Amino acid sequence: MKKMSFVLILSAVLILMVSASTVLSAKPVLKVGTSADFPPFEFQDEKTGAYLGFDIDLIKAIGAEAGMEVKIVNTAWDGLIPGLLTGNYDCIMSAMTITDERLGSVAFSDPYFSASQVIVTRSDDSSIKTVEDLVGKEISVQIGTTGDIEASEIEGATIKRFNLAPDAIQEVRNKGVAACVIDFSVAEEISKQYTDIKFGEPFTEEYYGIAINKNNVELLNKINEALASVKASGKYDMIFEDWFSIN
Ligand code: ARG
């Protein structure tokens, strides 16, 4: 009987110790929504399924700085803002351009990357160089992106909208459209794999920001502080080098 209660007490103590230590060591989780179809910013390793890219490394560095553990939630691009507003995740890290329209529904961190749109065409097509050359043409875009917004303003153009960014570029190779309007670094990254497409000069000025729910001012401040530290410590430059060095 004595032995029995000793064992009981001992196991109770052990259980308490284990649960106390998990509570103490568990970092708060930062749930991050992303559309992992946008190399080199966010994409999945074909073999392991791991999330990789500049944005992924940067948000992990920001999380580490803020003492939070980052958990990636892969979500279709056009569902990202609705998902943030419903609370599926705490922020969006997805090469998302800060636009006035988006600022109507979400808050953005300080800008973390300067970007631009470019026109992707077939390599053997010398007729399209500028936006003016796209008048009346068929153009592919990722649905709801700034590329979509830019292309939709072109007179007489027919817009083919794709859920996934790589599919919009693929449509140029398939000769389904004359051109694709997409973010410069993504055009650059994807066209590395193919010789039959090329891209032109950047024609917009955009800045990526981390989108956060407007009522979560605490997180917005935390992320801005952590981003500033990651920049000041040289960590930002290291990550930039990893993904955008010319070598
Ligand atoms: N920068 C563009 C925008 O904000 C495209 C971003 C697309 N991001 C992605 N992960 N597919 O509209």
Side-chain angles (χ1 to χ4, degrees), residues 87-186:
N88 295 350
Y89 28 83
D90 309 302
C91 65
I92 300 170
M93 183 68 161
S94 199
M96 187 173 274
T97 302
I98 304 169
T99 67
D100 287 341
E101 202 204 327
R102 290 174 186 156
L103 280 166
S105 52
V106 297
F108 276 100
S109 71
D110 294 331
Y112 70 85
F113 196 89
S114 121
S116 173
Q117 297 300 301
V118 293
I119 300 168
V120 179
T121 58
R122 286 180 289 281
S123 301
D124 59 8
D125 184 349
S126 54
S127 70
I128 300 167
K129 293 207 167 60
T130 65
V131 174
E132 289 75 59
D133 301 330
L134 288 176
V135 169
K137 294 267 160 60
E138 284 191 302
I139 308 168
S140 59
V141 297
Q142 181 174 30
I143 189 165
T145 55
T146 44
D148 188 353
I149 295 165
E150 293 294 330
S152 301
E153 278 173 8
I154 298 168
E155 213 192 298
T158 308
I159 314 300
K160 279 199 187 175
R161 299 183 170 85
F162 291 83
N163 290 324
L164 300 172
D167 291 348
I169 292 186
Q170 191 60 38
E171 191 67 1
V172 178
R173 305 187 65 227
N174 294 347
K175 305 198 166 126
V177 289
C180 170
V181 175
I182 196 160
D183 297 45
F184 164 74
S185 304
V186 178

Side-chain angles (χ1 to χ4, degrees), residues 40-54:
F41 295 100
E42 45 266 333
F43 58 99
Q44 274 186 288
D45 184 290
E46 274 175 26
K47 289 193 191 99
T48 65
Y51 296 107
L52 304 174
F54 174 84

Side-chain angles (χ1 to χ4, degrees), residues 177-218:
V177 289
C180 170
V181 175
I182 196 160
D183 297 45
F184 164 74
S185 304
V186 178
E188 181 177 56
E189 182 67 23
I190 294 183
S191 55
K192 272 183 198 162
Q193 308 165 39
Y194 310 112
T195 52
D196 57 351
I197 48 168
K198 61 177 181 192
F199 57 93
E201 292 298 315
F203 68 90
T204 62
E205 197 181 302
E206 308 179 12
Y207 295 93
Y208 296 163
I210 302 162
I212 299 149
N213 207 303
K214 275 188 177 186
N215 55 33
N216 200 347
V217 182
E218 195 190 324

